[in-house]
Amino acid sequence: MLQIEIVKQPDGAGVLRCVRQDGSVTWQKQTKHAAHFALHDLTHYAVETALGYRRGFFGLIAEGWDVDDTTGKGARGALPAEAVEVERIVGLFDAERGSGVLWSPEEFNEFAPRALTDAEIQSVRTLRAALFHQWFAIAPGQKMELKFELTSAASS
């Protein structure tokens, strides 16, 4: 299990802190485009949880990777194929959010690394919307806590 904490900063950014089952910690504070990264991290959680990925960003962190290693340029080398797939899907959901328009499954699948069903897309959107609602409701200085389970569906 991975304990995820995102502390909201006054500018809307989040400081991400992940505590692994063995008690080890990795964290990240974004400065450039900082407000985007809290939403990006929550989108990762939604995609990895709703679609059952185990070796996306949070799965790798749970395995012992440090946040800096997940760029694919760290000591661990290139990202596993599953993590690359997850990043591309998260990028599509980020792009959809930025466009302000809900995309059809056909529009998603034009660029997706694998075909996503309407049910999968809706599942991610539903979880992400709940996470965003929770994030926007907390005050600066407060933290949002999530649990990511590698063996079963994660829960917030």
Side-chain angles (χ1 to χ4, degrees):
M1 193 244 339
L2 181 70
Q3 177 71 29
I4 302 164
E5 300 171 355
I6 308 174
V7 178
K8 186 182 264 186
Q9 302 299 298
D11 64 356
V15 175
L16 175 68
R17 182 174 182 265
C18 299
V19 182
R20 298 180 193 94
Q21 195 158 358
D22 67 3
S24 62
V25 176
T26 188
W27 65 278
Q28 179 178 49
K29 179 179 181 181
Q30 292 288 339
T31 53
K32 189 175 183 183
H33 308 294
H36 161 79
F37 277 96
L39 301 179
H40 178 77
D41 292 341
L42 293 173
T43 302
H44 258 284
Y45 183 88
V47 166
E48 293 178 43
T49 300
L51 301 182
Y53 285 107
R54 296 292 148 239
R55 296 206 75 214
F57 176 78
F58 288 115
L60 295 178
I61 296 297
E63 284 181 16
W65 290 50
D66 284 325
V67 172
D68 289 343
D69 291 333
T70 64
T71 63
K73 300 173 187 166
R76 293 185 179 261
L79 294 174
E82 185 173 307
V84 173
E85 181 174 308
V86 166
E87 194 61 48
R88 289 184 59 201
I89 293 171
V90 169
L92 289 173
F93 279 99
D94 283 345
E96 178 191 50
R97 178 176 47 85
S99 77
V101 176
L102 294 180
W103 296 353
S104 69
E106 294 76 25
E107 290 169 313
F108 258 99
N109 290 327
E110 185 176 343
F111 300 103
R114 69 168 181 87
L116 299 172
T117 67
D118 185 50
E120 288 175 320
I121 292 167
Q122 293 306 322
S123 179
V124 171
R125 283 181 182 151
T126 299
L127 179 54
R128 183 182 65 172
L131 294 169
F132 283 7
H133 179 77
Q134 198 178 347
W135 176 249
F136 291 127
I138 66 172
Q142 291 184 324
K143 68 181 170 184
M144 185 169 170
E145 296 183 17
L146 302 167
K147 290 184 171 112
F148 184 78
E149 301 282 347
L150 283 175
T151 55
S152 62
S155 61
S156 60

